[in-house]
Amino acid sequence: MIHRNGAAILAAAAMLACSGLVYAQDTTLPAPATAEPKTPLMAALDGLGIGSALADANISVFGHIEGSWTYSTSNPPDNFIDGRAFDFENQDLTLNQLMLAIERPVEVTSDKFDIGARVEWLWGADARKLHSTGLFDHYDGTPENEFDLTQAYVDLAIPVGNGLRLRAGKFVTLYGYEVIDPTGNLLYSHSYLFGAIPFTHTGVMGAYALNDKLTVDAAVTRGWDDALEDKNSALDFVGRVTYTLDDKTTLYFIGGTGPERAGDNDVHRSAFNVLMNRQVADNLSVGAEGLWVLDGGMDNQWYGAAGYVSYTLSPMFTLNGRGEWFRDEDGVVTGAANTLYEATFGLAITPLPNDRWLQSFVVRPEIRYDYAQTPFFDGGSQHDQWTLGIDAYYAF
C-alpha cells in the first residue's frame, strides 16, 4: 500500500458545508483583501489588545477542531475498517484534527510587490497519515494523536503582467476534489480517490492569471509527500489549469510526473486529474472528479471517478451525497488488484447558523455502503460493508 493505509468530539465548522461544494486543495489566485467578519480567534485576540494590530498588518490567526466516531455494521479485525484514509478506526471516539494557522496572504496585482507566508500546525489522529518524508515521519503510528507541520511556505507577489505569485516551501497538493481540512469537504468520510493522491508537496510553485477565466499553476517539487528528505534524488512536476466556464461552472485540469519510488530516479509516476464544480441553483451544487495514475507504465496503474451533490434545505440543514468507482489495477493503493464502489449520504447540520460565535459549528452524520469486486472488507473476507459515521467541527 502507498502512504495512506487505511477529548471532545465537538469540532469545527465553516459555512461552506452548508453553502455548496468546494473543490481542489488550493484555489486560484487570491482576490484583493476585503472586509470580512473576524473569526472567533481574531475577535478573542482583540480582547487581548493585539487583534487589531494583526489585522492592520493583514495577518490572520485561525484554526479548527474536529472529532468523530465511526461504526461498522460488520466485525472488522482489530477494529480496522479497510480502505479508509482517516476514518479507519471502528467504534473509537477520535480527536481527528486540532489545527492552528497563522497567515499573511499576498495581494497579487500588476503594480506592486507583496510578501506573505503561512504556517499551519495540526495535532490529532489524522496527523498519523499526513507525515511527509523527513518531517515527523519518525512516528510509528503511536501515540494516536501526533503533530504534523502540514504547511509552511512563503509567498511573493511580483508585478509582472497581470501579477505573478511565487510560493516556496511545503504546501497542500493541487490534486483532488477533497481536502485535508474537514471544513472544505461535504462529507465526513473520504473517497478512495483522496487516498490515491499525495497530501502535500515541498518545492516552488508559480500561479498566474492569464485573464478572468484562465489561471495556470506550475510547481517543481521533491515529490509526493516528500519534505526535508526525498525518497530519491530526482524532482517532479505538477501543474494545473483552472478555467471558469461561466459564473456557475469551474473546471480544473491537473497533471504531473516524476520518479516517486524510493531509491529509483528512472521509473516515473504520472497522474492526470480532472475536476468540475457547478452551481446548478442557489441551493443545489454538483461536482465531479476523474483520476488516472500510471506508475511505471500501463501495467501499474490506478484510476477512478466520483460524483458529488449538495442540496441546501435551509440555513440549518444541507443534504450531501457522493458516488464513486475506483479501480486499483495492480494493488498499489489497496494491497491487491480490485475494483471498489461506494455511495455515501450525509446531512450537514448547523445548529445555530445566525449566531456570531457558533455559526461555524457543524455536525455531519452519514451512512456509507462499500462494495468490492473481490472480497476486501473485514480482513478480506467480505465483498461489502455498511458504516455509520458522525463528525463535528468548529472553525475558529
Side-chain angles (χ1 to χ4, degrees), residues 230-264:
D230 201 333
K231 292 185 290 290
N232 51 53
S233 58
L235 298 175
D236 79 346
F237 168 83
V238 60
R240 178 180 63 189
V241 174
T242 302
Y243 180 65
T244 303
L245 189 63
D246 53 43
D247 61 350
K248 297 182 182 297
T249 308
T250 304
L251 302 173
Y252 299 83
F253 304 92
I254 306 124
T257 189
E260 305 297 343
R261 297 183 182 181
D264 193 329

Short mmCIF file of all heavy atoms in Angstrom, two decimals, residues 230-264:
data_model
loop_
_atom_site.label_atom_id
_atom_site.label_comp_id
_atom_site.label_asym_id
_atom_site.label_seq_id
_atom_site.Cartn_x
_atom_site.Cartn_y
_atom_site.Cartn_z
N ASP A 230 14.10 13.31 0.58
CA ASP A 230 13.48 12.85 -0.65
C ASP A 230 13.64 11.34 -0.75
O ASP A 230 14.67 10.79 -0.33
CB ASP A 230 14.13 13.53 -1.85
CG ASP A 230 13.26 13.51 -3.09
OD1 ASP A 230 12.42 12.60 -3.20
OD2 ASP A 230 13.41 14.40 -3.94
N LYS A 231 12.65 10.67 -1.31
CA LYS A 231 12.75 9.22 -1.48
C LYS A 231 13.81 8.85 -2.51
O LYS A 231 14.28 7.73 -2.55
CB LYS A 231 11.39 8.66 -1.88
CG LYS A 231 10.33 8.75 -0.78
CD LYS A 231 9.04 8.07 -1.16
CE LYS A 231 8.29 8.80 -2.24
NZ LYS A 231 7.70 10.09 -1.76
N ASN A 232 14.14 9.82 -3.40
CA ASN A 232 15.20 9.62 -4.38
C ASN A 232 15.86 10.98 -4.62
O ASN A 232 15.61 11.92 -3.89
CB ASN A 232 14.63 9.01 -5.67
CG ASN A 232 13.42 9.79 -6.17
OD1 ASN A 232 13.50 11.01 -6.36
ND2 ASN A 232 12.31 9.11 -6.39
N SER A 233 16.70 11.07 -5.62
CA SER A 233 17.42 12.33 -5.85
C SER A 233 16.88 13.11 -7.04
O SER A 233 17.56 13.98 -7.58
CB SER A 233 18.91 12.04 -6.06
OG SER A 233 19.10 11.16 -7.16
N ALA A 234 15.63 12.80 -7.46
CA ALA A 234 15.04 13.48 -8.61
C ALA A 234 13.92 14.40 -8.18
O ALA A 234 13.36 14.28 -7.09
CB ALA A 234 14.51 12.43 -9.60
N LEU A 235 13.57 15.35 -9.06
CA LEU A 235 12.46 16.26 -8.83
C LEU A 235 11.25 15.82 -9.64
O LEU A 235 11.37 15.02 -10.57
CB LEU A 235 12.85 17.68 -9.23
CG LEU A 235 14.01 18.32 -8.46
CD1 LEU A 235 14.35 19.68 -9.05
CD2 LEU A 235 13.68 18.44 -6.98
N ASP A 236 10.07 16.33 -9.26
CA ASP A 236 8.90 16.07 -10.08
C ASP A 236 8.21 17.39 -10.42
O ASP A 236 8.56 18.45 -9.90
CB ASP A 236 7.96 15.06 -9.43
CG ASP A 236 7.09 15.67 -8.33
OD1 ASP A 236 7.37 16.81 -7.89
OD2 ASP A 236 6.13 15.01 -7.92
N PHE A 237 7.22 17.30 -11.30
CA PHE A 237 6.48 18.46 -11.78
C PHE A 237 4.99 18.22 -11.58
O PHE A 237 4.49 17.11 -11.79
CB PHE A 237 6.76 18.72 -13.26
CG PHE A 237 5.80 19.71 -13.89
CD1 PHE A 237 6.03 21.07 -13.76
CD2 PHE A 237 4.68 19.27 -14.58
CE1 PHE A 237 5.14 21.99 -14.31
CE2 PHE A 237 3.79 20.18 -15.14
CZ PHE A 237 4.02 21.55 -15.01
N VAL A 238 4.27 19.26 -11.18
CA VAL A 238 2.81 19.21 -11.13
C VAL A 238 2.28 20.56 -11.57
O VAL A 238 2.84 21.61 -11.23
CB VAL A 238 2.30 18.84 -9.72
CG1 VAL A 238 2.75 19.84 -8.67
CG2 VAL A 238 0.78 18.72 -9.70
N GLY A 239 1.23 20.53 -12.36
CA GLY A 239 0.65 21.77 -12.86
C GLY A 239 -0.86 21.69 -12.91
O GLY A 239 -1.46 20.61 -12.85
N ARG A 240 -1.50 22.85 -13.01
CA ARG A 240 -2.95 22.91 -13.06
C ARG A 240 -3.40 24.08 -13.93
O ARG A 240 -2.81 25.16 -13.89
CB ARG A 240 -3.52 23.08 -11.65
CG ARG A 240 -5.05 23.19 -11.59
CD ARG A 240 -5.56 23.37 -10.18
NE ARG A 240 -5.07 24.61 -9.58
CZ ARG A 240 -5.23 24.93 -8.28
NH1 ARG A 240 -5.82 24.08 -7.48
NH2 ARG A 240 -4.77 26.08 -7.83
N VAL A 241 -4.45 23.83 -14.68
CA VAL A 241 -5.14 24.88 -15.43
C VAL A 241 -6.55 25.00 -14.87
O VAL A 241 -7.28 24.00 -14.81
CB VAL A 241 -5.18 24.57 -16.94
CG1 VAL A 241 -6.02 25.61 -17.68
CG2 VAL A 241 -3.78 24.50 -17.52
N THR A 242 -6.92 26.19 -14.44
CA THR A 242 -8.25 26.46 -13.91
C THR A 242 -9.01 27.31 -14.92
O THR A 242 -8.55 28.39 -15.30
CB THR A 242 -8.17 27.20 -12.57
OG1 THR A 242 -7.41 26.43 -11.65
CG2 THR A 242 -9.57 27.44 -11.99
N TYR A 243 -10.16 26.79 -15.36
CA TYR A 243 -10.94 27.51 -16.36
C TYR A 243 -12.35 27.77 -15.81
O TYR A 243 -13.08 26.83 -15.47
CB TYR A 243 -11.03 26.71 -17.66
CG TYR A 243 -11.84 27.41 -18.73
CD1 TYR A 243 -11.38 28.62 -19.27
CD2 TYR A 243 -13.03 26.87 -19.21
CE1 TYR A 243 -12.10 29.28 -20.25
CE2 TYR A 243 -13.75 27.52 -20.19
CZ TYR A 243 -13.29 28.72 -20.71
OH TYR A 243 -14.00 29.38 -21.68
N THR A 244 -12.71 29.04 -15.72
CA THR A 244 -14.05 29.43 -15.29
C THR A 244 -14.93 29.52 -16.52
O THR A 244 -14.84 30.49 -17.29
CB THR A 244 -14.01 30.77 -14.54
OG1 THR A 244 -13.11 30.68 -13.43
CG2 THR A 244 -15.39 31.14 -14.02
N LEU A 245 -15.74 28.51 -16.70
CA LEU A 245 -16.57 28.44 -17.90
C LEU A 245 -17.61 29.56 -17.91
O LEU A 245 -17.83 30.23 -18.92
CB LEU A 245 -17.26 27.08 -17.98
CG LEU A 245 -18.00 26.74 -19.26
CD1 LEU A 245 -17.04 26.70 -20.44
CD2 LEU A 245 -18.73 25.40 -19.12
N ASP A 246 -18.26 29.76 -16.76
CA ASP A 246 -19.19 30.86 -16.58
C ASP A 246 -19.29 31.11 -15.08
O ASP A 246 -18.52 30.56 -14.31
CB ASP A 246 -20.56 30.56 -17.21
CG ASP A 246 -21.14 29.22 -16.74
OD1 ASP A 246 -21.06 28.92 -15.52
OD2 ASP A 246 -21.68 28.48 -17.58
N ASP A 247 -20.25 31.95 -14.67
CA ASP A 247 -20.33 32.30 -13.26
C ASP A 247 -20.85 31.15 -12.39
O ASP A 247 -20.90 31.27 -11.17
CB ASP A 247 -21.19 33.54 -13.05
CG ASP A 247 -22.63 33.34 -13.53
OD1 ASP A 247 -22.92 32.32 -14.19
OD2 ASP A 247 -23.47 34.22 -13.23
N LYS A 248 -21.19 30.01 -13.00
CA LYS A 248 -21.70 28.86 -12.26
C LYS A 248 -20.81 27.63 -12.37
O LYS A 248 -20.98 26.68 -11.59
CB LYS A 248 -23.11 28.50 -12.74
CG LYS A 248 -24.16 29.60 -12.52
CD LYS A 248 -25.52 29.15 -12.97
CE LYS A 248 -26.56 30.26 -12.80
NZ LYS A 248 -26.73 30.63 -11.38
N THR A 249 -19.88 27.61 -13.30
CA THR A 249 -19.13 26.38 -13.58
C THR A 249 -17.63 26.65 -13.63
O THR A 249 -17.19 27.58 -14.31
CB THR A 249 -19.57 25.76 -14.93
OG1 THR A 249 -20.99 25.62 -14.94
CG2 THR A 249 -18.92 24.41 -15.13
N THR A 250 -16.87 25.83 -12.93
CA THR A 250 -15.41 25.91 -12.93
C THR A 250 -14.83 24.53 -13.22
O THR A 250 -15.28 23.53 -12.67
CB THR A 250 -14.87 26.42 -11.59
OG1 THR A 250 -15.49 27.67 -11.28
CG2 THR A 250 -13.37 26.62 -11.65
N LEU A 251 -13.82 24.49 -14.08
CA LEU A 251 -13.14 23.26 -14.45
C LEU A 251 -11.68 23.34 -14.03
O LEU A 251 -11.06 24.41 -14.11
CB LEU A 251 -13.23 23.02 -15.96
CG LEU A 251 -14.62 22.94 -16.57
CD1 LEU A 251 -14.53 22.87 -18.09
CD2 LEU A 251 -15.39 21.74 -16.03
N TYR A 252 -11.13 22.20 -13.59
CA TYR A 252 -9.72 22.11 -13.22
C TYR A 252 -9.09 20.94 -13.97
O TYR A 252 -9.63 19.83 -13.97
CB TYR A 252 -9.55 21.87 -11.72
CG TYR A 252 -10.11 22.95 -10.83
CD1 TYR A 252 -11.47 22.98 -10.50
CD2 TYR A 252 -9.28 23.94 -10.31
CE1 TYR A 252 -11.97 23.97 -9.68
CE2 TYR A 252 -9.79 24.93 -9.48
CZ TYR A 252 -11.14 24.94 -9.17
OH TYR A 252 -11.65 25.91 -8.36
N PHE A 253 -7.92 21.18 -14.55
CA PHE A 253 -7.16 20.14 -15.23
C PHE A 253 -5.78 20.08 -14.57
O PHE A 253 -5.01 21.03 -14.66
CB PHE A 253 -7.04 20.45 -16.73
CG PHE A 253 -8.35 20.63 -17.42
CD1 PHE A 253 -8.92 21.91 -17.54
CD2 PHE A 253 -9.04 19.55 -17.93
CE1 PHE A 253 -10.14 22.09 -18.17
CE2 PHE A 253 -10.27 19.72 -18.57
CZ PHE A 253 -10.82 20.99 -18.69
N ILE A 254 -5.49 18.97 -13.92
CA ILE A 254 -4.25 18.84 -13.14
C ILE A 254 -3.45 17.66 -13.67
O ILE A 254 -4.02 16.60 -13.99
CB ILE A 254 -4.56 18.63 -11.64
CG1 ILE A 254 -5.47 19.74 -11.12
CG2 ILE A 254 -3.29 18.58 -10.82
CD1 ILE A 254 -6.74 19.24 -10.50
N GLY A 255 -2.15 17.83 -13.75
CA GLY A 255 -1.29 16.74 -14.18
C GLY A 255 0.10 16.89 -13.62
O GLY A 255 0.54 17.99 -13.28
N GLY A 256 0.80 15.77 -13.51
CA GLY A 256 2.16 15.82 -13.00
C GLY A 256 2.90 14.54 -13.30
O GLY A 256 2.29 13.50 -13.61
N THR A 257 4.23 14.60 -13.21
CA THR A 257 5.03 13.42 -13.45
C THR A 257 6.36 13.55 -12.73
O THR A 257 6.84 14.65 -12.46
CB THR A 257 5.26 13.20 -14.96
OG1 THR A 257 5.86 11.92 -15.19
CG2 THR A 257 6.13 14.29 -15.55
N GLY A 258 6.96 12.41 -12.41
CA GLY A 258 8.26 12.38 -11.77
C GLY A 258 8.49 11.05 -11.09
O GLY A 258 7.55 10.30 -10.83
N PRO A 259 9.75 10.71 -10.79
CA PRO A 259 10.05 9.46 -10.08
C PRO A 259 9.57 9.55 -8.63
O PRO A 259 9.89 10.51 -7.93
CB PRO A 259 11.58 9.38 -10.15
CG PRO A 259 11.99 10.32 -11.24
CD PRO A 259 10.97 11.41 -11.20
N GLU A 260 8.79 8.58 -8.18
CA GLU A 260 8.25 8.59 -6.83
C GLU A 260 8.66 7.37 -6.00
O GLU A 260 8.36 7.30 -4.82
CB GLU A 260 6.72 8.67 -6.87
CG GLU A 260 6.15 9.82 -7.66
CD GLU A 260 6.51 11.18 -7.09
OE1 GLU A 260 6.93 11.24 -5.92
OE2 GLU A 260 6.40 12.19 -7.82
N ARG A 261 9.34 6.42 -6.60
CA ARG A 261 9.74 5.22 -5.87
C ARG A 261 11.04 5.46 -5.12
O ARG A 261 11.93 6.18 -5.59
CB ARG A 261 9.91 4.03 -6.83
CG ARG A 261 8.62 3.64 -7.54
CD ARG A 261 8.83 2.43 -8.42
NE ARG A 261 7.61 2.09 -9.15
CZ ARG A 261 7.52 1.05 -9.98
NH1 ARG A 261 8.57 0.26 -10.19
NH2 ARG A 261 6.39 0.80 -10.61
N ALA A 262 11.16 4.85 -3.96
CA ALA A 262 12.35 5.02 -3.12
C ALA A 262 13.58 4.49 -3.83
O ALA A 262 13.60 3.35 -4.32
CB ALA A 262 12.16 4.31 -1.79
N GLY A 263 14.60 5.35 -3.91
CA GLY A 263 15.88 4.93 -4.47
C GLY A 263 15.88 4.72 -5.97
O GLY A 263 16.81 4.13 -6.51
N ASP A 264 14.85 5.21 -6.67
CA ASP A 264 14.74 4.98 -8.11
C ASP A 264 14.46 6.30 -8.80
O ASP A 264 13.40 6.90 -8.62
CB ASP A 264 13.63 3.97 -8.40
CG ASP A 264 13.66 3.46 -9.83
OD1 ASP A 264 14.08 4.22 -10.72
OD2 ASP A 264 13.25 2.30 -10.05
#
